[in-house]
Amino acid sequence: MVVARSIALKAVNTASLWGLNRSRFGGLPKVQTVRALSTFMSPPSKAVVYEHHGPPDSVTRMIELPPVEVQENQVCVKMLAAPINPSDINRIEGVYPVRPQVPAVGGYEGVGEVYSVGSAVKGLSPGDLVIPSPPSSGTWQTYVVKDHDIWHKISKDSPIEYAATVTVNPLTAIRMLEDFTTLSAGDSIVQNGATSIVGQCVIQLARYRGIHSINIIRDRAGSDEVKERLKALGADEVFTESQLEVKNVKSLLSNIPEPALGLNCVGGHAASLVLKFLRQGGTMVTYGGMSKKPVTVSTSSFIFKDLSLRGFWLQKWLSADKAKECRDMVDYLLRLAQERKLKYEMELVPFDKFHSALEKALGKHGSQPKQVIKF
C-alpha cells in the first residue's frame, strides 16, 4: 500500500507524513534528531485513517502503521475499546468546529492499558488502565503514543465499555445538570432526545439526586417499549411528540412541578415542546441539533415567561482549563457505572468489523445501540 509504505520509510527518521513523531496523527509533523539508545519503539499499530474529509464510509480505511519512538515523557497505550460518536463522524466529514489536520486517525475517546512508559514518566506503569482526559484525537488504533499528561489512570475495576465512553456523553449530561441552574431534590427537568446516551444519563443522574425528569421521544414503532425502558432507568414521565399536541402540556403532569431546566438536542418542533413545559424564568440548554432545524421561540415566551436560551459544547468546557475537574467527574461517573447506578445500551464490535459498526453508527440500519470498538 503506497501510503503505508511512505509512512514506514519516513518513520526511520522519526518524522512522517502522518505526524508520527509526537503521537499517531496527533498534529503537524516536526523534525527531530535521533535520541539516545535509552528510547524504544512502540509495536506496529492497526488504525482507521482518513486522508481527506468526506462521507465516513467512503473516506475511512484500515491500514498498518509502523512502530513509533516512545520518548522519555511519553506513554505507549494498548487500546482496549473506543466508541464511534456522532462528533467523530462530524470530524471525518469536516463539519465539526475542532478537528485534527488530515491525514488523521479517527476516534476521540477510549480506554487502554499502559504498554510501556518513557524513562521520565512517573505515576504510570505497564498494566495501568488509562483514558485520554481530556479526550484526544486518534483513538481508533491498536497502540497510541502520547505525552504522559494526556493519560488519566482509572480504577482497574472500571467496566471497560463505560471507561471507553464516559467522557463525551455522561460528562455532557452531568455538566448540563450542574452548570445552568440550581436544582434541588424535588425539582424537575424536561428533555427531548431522551433515548440518546446523554438523555439516558440525564434520567439516571437526575433520579440519583431526587430530581424528576419529563422526557420527550419521537413517534415511532415500539414507542411503548421505549417508554417502559426509560421508566426502568428512572424517568418519571415519557411522552411522544404527538401526545403533546394539546393546548396545555402542563395538564399532563400529575405531582411533578414545572421544570426549571430544559435540555434540547433535536431542535425544531421538539425544542418548542421543551419550551412549553418550562416554568417562569426557566432555562433551555441546546447541546445538539439532530433534526437540523432551527430553534424558534415565541415572543411571548421571552416577554411573559422570561425564558433563557443557552448553549452547551463540551469541547469549549474542556478547553477552559478544566482538566482536573474533568478527571474528578470521570472518576465519579465511573464509580456510578461500577455500582450499576449509571448504565446505557452499547454494542461491542471487534475492530476488524469496524466498517459494519460504522454503518450502524451512521444510521443505515435504523436505531442502534452505541457502537463501541473492541481491540
Side-chain angles (χ1 to χ4, degrees):
M1 185 177 293
V2 175
V3 175
R5 182 172 180 272
S6 173
I7 295 173
L9 289 173
K10 294 183 180 182
V12 173
N13 295 319
T14 73
S16 76
L17 167 68
W18 300 90
L20 291 172
N21 55 308
R22 295 292 295 175
S23 62
R24 297 184 190 277
F25 296 71
L28 294 171
K30 299 178 183 178
V31 178
Q32 294 193 357
T33 57
V34 176
R35 297 183 59 81
L37 294 178
S38 59
T39 61
F40 51 91
M41 308 296 287
S42 74
S45 185
K46 183 182 290 187
V48 172
V49 305
Y50 54 102
E51 297 170 62
H52 55 270
H53 296 121
D57 51 347
S58 299
V59 301
T60 57
R61 59 196 180 102
M62 193 174 293
I63 67 170
E64 298 283 342
L65 296 177
V68 179
E69 180 186 11
V70 181
Q71 300 177 30
E72 63 179 10
N73 65 337
Q74 292 184 322
V75 176
C76 175
V77 172
K78 182 182 185 299
M79 294 302 294
L80 299 176
I84 304 176
N85 288 319
S87 56
D88 296 322
I89 292 170
N90 293 155
R91 286 185 177 90
I92 296 170
E93 293 170 332
V95 299
Y96 203 73
V98 176
R99 54 190 181 268
Q101 182 179 3
V102 292
V105 171
Y108 188 60
E109 66 174 335
V111 62
E113 183 179 80
V114 174
Y115 179 81
S116 60
V117 300
S119 59
V121 172
K122 307 294 182 184
L124 291 175
S125 303
D128 286 344
L129 202 62
V130 294
I131 64 173
S133 180
S136 181
S137 296
T139 56
W140 292 350
Q141 58 183 317
T142 50
Y143 289 90
V144 178
V145 176
K146 290 183 182 287
D147 287 351
H148 71 94
D149 57 1
I150 294 292
W151 302 106
H152 174 49
K153 181 178 176 180
I154 61 175
S155 168
K156 289 188 176 182
D157 294 327
S158 301
I160 294 300
E161 65 272 30
Y162 287 94
T165 58
V166 69
T167 305
V168 172
N169 292 148
L171 190 58
T172 293
I174 197 169
R175 293 280 23 119
M176 291 193 300
L177 286 173
E178 294 189 355
D179 289 354
F180 295 94
T181 190
T182 301
L183 295 171
S184 303
D187 289 340
S188 70
I189 62 100
V190 58
Q191 65 169 344
N192 57 33
T195 58
S196 68
I197 299 296
V198 173
Q200 294 177 56
C201 290
V202 164
I203 290 170
Q204 295 168 87
L205 292 169
R207 179 188 62 175
Y208 188 64
R209 299 170 181 212
I211 297 166
H212 302 287
S213 67
I214 304 159
N215 301 274
I216 304 169
I217 62 174
R218 58 188 172 87
D219 291 272
R220 59 179 175 180
S223 58
D224 288 339
E225 291 80 1
V226 172
K227 289 180 181 181
E228 291 306 313
R229 190 164 69 245
L230 294 179
K231 287 183 177 180
L233 292 178
D236 292 274
E237 297 284 359
V238 184
F239 301 106
T240 61
E241 292 181 7
S242 62
Q243 285 181 289
L244 300 178
E245 298 300 330
V246 296
K247 187 173 183 180
N248 181 14
V249 296
K250 296 171 186 176
S251 66
L252 300 173
L253 303 179
S254 51
N255 297 318
I256 300 176
E258 292 179 296
L261 177 68
L263 305 177
N264 165 51
C265 68
V266 180
H269 179 61
S272 299
L273 294 176
V274 169
L275 291 169
K276 280 186 175 184
F277 276 104
L278 289 178
R279 75 185 186 193
Q280 182 81 17
T283 298
M284 184 175 78
V285 179
T286 293
Y287 66 100
M290 290 189 292
S291 71
K292 298 184 179 179
K293 296 179 180 177
V295 173
T296 56
V297 188
S298 67
T299 302
S300 61
S301 293
F302 279 128
I303 297 176
F304 303 118
K305 291 186 69 177
D306 192 26
L307 298 183
S308 298
L309 302 185
R310 302 287 302 276
F312 179 80
W313 183 28
L314 182 66
Q315 182 86 34
K316 181 179 180 181
W317 184 84
L318 290 171
S319 65
D321 196 24
K322 299 285 188 179
K324 184 182 184 306
E325 190 173 355
C326 172
R327 293 180 176 188
D328 289 343
M329 289 286 98
V330 162
D331 291 340
Y332 167 72
L333 292 165
L334 285 176
R335 285 195 298 272
L336 292 181
Q338 187 179 340
E339 296 166 1
R340 302 298 294 165
K341 294 175 180 175
L342 183 67
K343 55 188 177 181
Y344 39 88
E345 190 179 2
M346 293 173 277
E347 181 180 357
L348 292 173
V349 183
F351 192 28
D352 60 2
K353 302 291 185 183
F354 172 82
H355 280 92
S356 296
L358 180 60
E359 285 191 353
K360 291 183 179 180
L362 289 170
K364 294 190 174 184
H365 301 283
S367 180
Q368 296 289 329
K370 170 75 72 178
Q371 298 295 295
V372 179
I373 303 303
K374 187 176 181 181
F375 297 95

